[in-house]
Amino acid sequence: MTKTGIVRHRKYMEHWMGEYHPESPMRLEAIYSMLDEPDMAGKFPEVPVQPAEKKDILRVHSAGYVERIESTAGVDCTYLDPDTQACAASYDAAMLAAGGVCRGVAMVHSGELQNAFALVRPPGHHAERSQAKGFCIFNHIAVAARYAQETLNLGSILIVDWDLHHGNGTQHAFEEDPSVLYFSTHQYPYYPGTGAFDEVGRGRGKGFTINVPLTIGYGDGEFLTIFQELLRPVALEYRPELILVSAGFDTFYADPLGGMNVSAKGFAGLTRMIMDIADACCGGKIVLTLEGGYNVLGERDCVKEVLKELAGLSFTNPQDLMTLANPEMMDFLLARVKSFQSAYWKSL
Ligand SMILES: [Zn+2]
């Protein structure tokens, strides 16, 4: 069995944005109780969680913004964005979330863990340098990528974002930087509005942002084919030293916010494919962090399948799922991405 670490902390459930908000503490309550069931308990070592250091956050966010979020600590409710609020505990939760992802990265880097999944709240990939956005306060995955480079001296890093929504914050953090390759599949046009085919990075970062915008209805076979035909060749050419994943489960077929068709087994297949890529490039080093996912029980089941795959408790063959792909949904899409990216990637 592979050593797969998890990041969990009760404080992540104290961040609360109101009774009717879909990004609710119940998401983690369901996941954490699944982890305590007999078939899962004791199998996933816990990463010791500490708050991120300010210097780690400041590599991605402005000092003024961090101060503003810190000032919400202990205050009942602060509106940060039309979709995003801070409660009294949100600053601590967000600092612990970023710190948890960084510690997971450090333990995977050192070899104490083979891979890790940070089961944190609030999510992060919409958070911009100086702006909370789309349920996100600090951009944990961006903070962790910079931490890996600055503190652990890693070079190139691949971020795969399979959340339903485009990770505008992550793209913007790295769009001029060839040392972080950002690959995103997302429903489009949809919130937050970014992530078109022609957003390929800027300046020295051109070609190091790959967007795969999708109409509704993409499922297991199509997502796996996208990963096989686009992500795999580019990743093998890029050869990252670490793979980070913005793992959102709002592409699940029964998600209330999304129009996609991915099943729990499909997420296992995507995980297996990323594991295969990581085995070829970087000794299997992968850290996932939880982003969206609003069907609470569906998300719990998806996370379980992903964890079993990471730990080698299950082995999903991506090829089996790929045969389900509808060619009519693939041909135009793949050709379109390649038309924007082939100038930067020999393998496309
Ligand atoms: Zn999302």
Side-chain angles (χ1 to χ4, degrees):
M1 187 177 157
T2 310
K3 224 171 169 189
T4 296
I6 49 169
V7 176
R8 68 186 278 183
H9 200 289
R10 62 183 167 75
K11 284 257 177 195
Y12 299 145
M13 295 182 287
E14 291 177 18
H15 165 62
W16 188 74
M17 298 191 285
E19 206 167 332
Y20 301 106
H21 201 293
E23 205 291 282
S24 86
M26 286 188 294
R27 300 176 60 223
L28 283 185
E29 284 165 20
I31 291 169
Y32 290 178
S33 51
M34 172 272 291
L35 289 167
D36 293 333
E37 285 167 11
D39 60 332
M40 297 295 275
K43 294 199 164 82
F44 300 91
E46 281 188 37
V47 170
V49 177
Q50 296 283 330
E53 290 187 42
K54 282 248 179 78
K55 69 174 173 19
D56 298 330
I57 303 288
L58 289 168
R59 294 191 190 106
V60 171
H61 295 285
S62 68
Y65 176 69
V66 176
E67 261 172 49
R68 170 160 155 69
I69 300 302
E70 189 173 11
S71 76
T72 70
V75 178
D76 273 351
C77 181
T78 309
Y79 287 89
L80 301 170
D81 160 83
D83 304 316
T84 317
Q85 300 137 47
C87 71
S90 299
Y91 172 73
D92 287 345
M95 289 298 276
L96 283 165
V101 184
C102 289
R103 188 64 194 271
V105 166
M107 289 178 73
V108 168
H109 174 66
S110 72
E112 286 167 88
L113 298 170
Q114 178 64 58
N115 51 41
F117 196 164
L119 298 161
V120 302
R121 291 179 61 251
H125 71 156
H126 294 305
E128 297 277 4
R129 182 170 171 76
S130 298
Q131 195 189 341
K133 199 171 159 74
F135 318 164
C136 302
I137 295 177
F138 293 141
N139 193 323
H140 319 306
I141 204 148
V143 168
R146 285 294 185 225
Y147 170 84
Q149 292 181 322
E150 304 285 328
T151 304
L152 308 175
N153 294 315
L154 289 180
S156 51
I157 293 173
L158 166 62
I159 298 178
V160 180
D161 188 332
W162 76 41
D163 189 273
L164 175 77
H165 303 92
H166 182 244
N168 55 288
T170 311
Q171 174 172 305
H172 292 149
F174 303 115
E175 64 188 344
E176 295 187 53
D177 182 351
S179 75
V180 178
L181 171 58
Y182 179 64
F183 182 98
S184 176
T185 48
H186 43 273
Q187 188 168 322
Y188 187 89
Y190 198 51
Y191 186 86
T194 47
F197 290 109
D198 64 355
E199 294 171 32
V200 298
R202 302 192 310 159
R204 289 197 319 126
K206 267 197 170 171
F208 297 94
T209 295
I210 300 180
N211 281 303
V212 187
L214 304 171
T215 52
I216 60 170
Y218 281 74
D220 297 350
E222 292 83 22
F223 270 88
L224 276 158
T225 304
I226 292 164
F227 276 35
Q228 170 75 9
E229 297 292 324
L230 301 173
L231 176 64
R232 181 194 293 274
V234 165
L236 295 181
E237 190 177 337
Y238 186 64
R239 301 202 70 81
E241 293 176 34
L242 171 71
I243 300 179
L244 302 176
V245 181
S246 269
F249 296 90
D250 34 13
T251 51
F252 182 62
Y253 67 86
D255 188 274
L257 302 192
M260 295 303 174
N261 268 326
V262 182
S263 72
K265 211 60 203 160
F267 286 109
L270 294 174
T271 304
R272 177 58 60 185
M273 193 177 288
I274 295 172
M275 291 169 75
D276 289 344
I277 294 169
D279 284 343
C281 297
C282 53
K285 295 182 193 300
I286 309 173
V287 178
L288 295 83
T289 183
L290 186 66
E291 299 282 2
Y294 306 103
N295 179 314
V296 170
L297 300 182
E299 179 177 50
R300 172 201 64 187
D301 295 346
C302 294
V303 169
K304 182 173 183 173
E305 291 304 314
V306 167
L307 281 169
K308 283 165 59 185
E309 205 71 28
L310 286 170
L313 297 169
S314 67
F315 188 95
T316 303
N317 184 351
Q319 298 292 338
D320 294 344
L321 294 168
M322 254 182 269
T323 59
L324 304 170
N326 176 355
E328 286 174 26
M329 295 171 81
M330 302 311 306
D331 296 347
F332 170 80
L333 175 76
L334 298 176
R336 192 111 168 101
V337 174
K338 287 178 185 179
S339 76
F340 283 101
Q341 296 288 347
S342 59
Y344 311 107
W345 299 99
K346 285 194 218 95
S347 56
L348 297 182

